[in-house]
Amino acid sequence: MKPLQRKPDWLKIKLVSEQEAQHFKEIKQMMRSKTLHTVCEEARCPNLHECWASRTATFMILGDICTRACRFCAVNSGLPTELDLQEPERVAEAAEQMGLRHCVITSVARDDLADGGAQIFAMTIRAVKERLPFCDVEVLIPDFQGNWDALYTVLDAKPHVLNHNVETVERLSDRVRAKAKYRRSLELLQRSKEYSPKIPTKSSIMVGVGETWDEILHTMDDLRAVQCDILTIGQYLQPSTKHLPVERYYTPEEFDRLREEGMKRGFSHVESGPLVRSSYHAREQKEAAVRVLES
């Protein structure tokens, strides 16, 4: 196994203030009391404290065991045992208690379910919107194994943003992602835009797993070809020695260049930086996309 590489200075996370630490502790206790999971914790997101402090959080529904074992992801994989029909209401209660302004809902992949969990997604969207009518609801969904009726079930609940990540360039997709297919991901984004043109679509690329610069630009072109509105680009960080190694670290200047390349291609918003993750500054991303769609 290749050892974990030493991270460059620009990947250092700022120190957490005492107030932020206390805020995190309170929210974590509340989440556990409602037996809820957040991808912020499960995926070891470096921006957790900042996002929670700005009233943005990403709930992970449908349990904490994924039926896939992607080689970049820190979430546990195996055979899920739970399907909690009360979970949507508990997520909504938690979002209300946190006073969220932007609620992101994602899930583990549930290939064991006929609809991949789409109905639970829809129930959760509706529950949050009912309790928090002024809160944006974004969903980060799996590919539902190409079950487009499942996609439409989610879209019929009218989330404010539909997010599905391609994660990497086409050449590396089969190596990096388990069962997910690059072209199927593009089709999902295309079908979403065709079915609900006014809902902004979003995707994410992580860099540092062996892609070339030209491949990143080609991936941007592929996403724009299916009218993807928002793009996030971040540095892949190896969760453990069992996961894919980091092939190289991109500099902040390179991330700036990638943002410029994305904006030139017509994305309404590109969030690009070493510590950027899919839901980082999610509220600002959505507002930028809506301005473009309504103009």
Side-chain angles (χ1 to χ4, degrees), residues 45-63:
C45 179
N47 308 306
L48 185 154
H49 293 86
E50 180 184 349
C51 289
W52 284 13
S54 66
R55 297 294 185 263
T56 299
T58 303
F59 294 94
M60 190 171 75
I61 62 174
L62 296 166

Side-chain angles (χ1 to χ4, degrees), residues 8 10-11 205-208 211 213 216 220 231-237 248-263 270-277:
W10 60 79
L11 277 169
I205 308 169
M206 58 184 173
V207 295
E211 70 291 321
W213 187 269
I216 300 172
M220 290 183 185
L231 175 65
T232 61
I233 308 170
Q235 173 68 52
Y236 167 64
L237 299 177
R248 87 174 184 92
Y249 290 105
Y250 285 63
T251 66
E253 293 75 22
E254 287 175 309
F255 279 106
D256 288 343
R257 286 173 55 201
L258 287 171
R259 181 186 184 281
E260 292 170 5
E261 290 288 351
M263 293 303 292
V270 178
E271 194 79 34
S272 177
L275 294 177
V276 166
R277 295 297 179 265

Side-chain angles (χ1 to χ4, degrees), residues 274-285:
L275 294 177
V276 166
R277 295 297 179 265
S278 185
S279 300
Y280 188 59
H281 291 169
R283 187 164 179 260
E284 294 85 346
Q285 296 169 20

Side-chain angles (χ1 to χ4, degrees), residues 39 70 90 99 103 107 129 157 193 219 247 269 280 289 294:
V39 77
C70 296
R90 294 202 309 279
C103 177
S107 76
K129 290 171 72 173
K193 184 59 70 175
T219 303
E247 296 297 333
H269 186 87
Y280 188 59
E294 291 180 348

Side-chain angles (χ1 to χ4, degrees), residues 139-276:
V139 289
L140 170 54
I141 61 173
D143 60 17
F144 299 129
Q145 300 186 89
N147 179 344
W148 306 128
D149 287 338
L151 169 64
Y152 303 147
T153 294
V154 175
L155 290 169
D156 285 341
K158 295 182 169 49
H160 295 91
V161 178
L162 189 290
N163 184 0
H164 174 70
N165 293 337
V166 294
E167 304 292 3
T168 189
V169 302
E170 185 169 17
R171 176 176 59 86
L172 298 175
S173 186
D174 288 346
R175 175 172 177 253
V176 172
R177 306 162 79 200
K179 299 183 182 178
K181 299 297 180 183
Y182 181 85
R183 290 290 156 184
R184 185 162 67 196
S185 290
L186 292 176
E187 184 177 356
L188 182 150
L189 292 165
Q190 182 175 24
R191 284 176 176 268
S192 176
K193 184 59 70 175
E194 291 171 350
Y195 189 80
S196 300
K198 293 184 179 180
I199 296 178
T201 52
K202 173 178 169 181
S203 196
S204 181
I205 308 169
M206 58 184 173
V207 295
V209 293
E211 70 291 321
T212 67
W213 187 269
D214 285 343
E215 285 177 322
I216 300 172
L217 300 186
H218 184 73
T219 303
M220 290 183 185
D221 292 335
D222 284 343
L223 289 168
R224 284 302 299 143
V226 296
Q227 300 181 64
C228 183
D229 301 294
I230 303 167
L231 175 65
T232 61
I233 308 170
Q235 173 68 52
Y236 167 64
L237 299 177
Q238 185 179 6
S240 76
T241 54
K242 296 179 181 178
H243 292 81
L244 284 171
V246 176
E247 296 297 333
R248 87 174 184 92
Y249 290 105
Y250 285 63
T251 66
E253 293 75 22
E254 287 175 309
F255 279 106
D256 288 343
R257 286 173 55 201
L258 287 171
R259 181 186 184 281
E260 292 170 5
E261 290 288 351
M263 293 303 292
K264 281 196 305 186
R265 283 163 169 76
F267 289 100
S268 60
H269 186 87
V270 178
E271 194 79 34
S272 177
L275 294 177
V276 166

Side-chain angles (χ1 to χ4, degrees), residues 61-68 78-84 87 107-118 120-121 142-145:
I61 62 174
L62 296 166
D64 62 348
I65 300 176
C66 186
T67 53
R68 302 183 186 183
L79 184 63
T81 58
E82 63 179 291
L83 183 61
D84 186 350
E87 186 176 45
S107 76
V108 292
R110 290 296 301 263
D111 295 336
D112 58 313
L113 301 175
D115 71 346
I120 300 294
F121 262 106
D143 60 17
F144 299 129
Q145 300 186 89

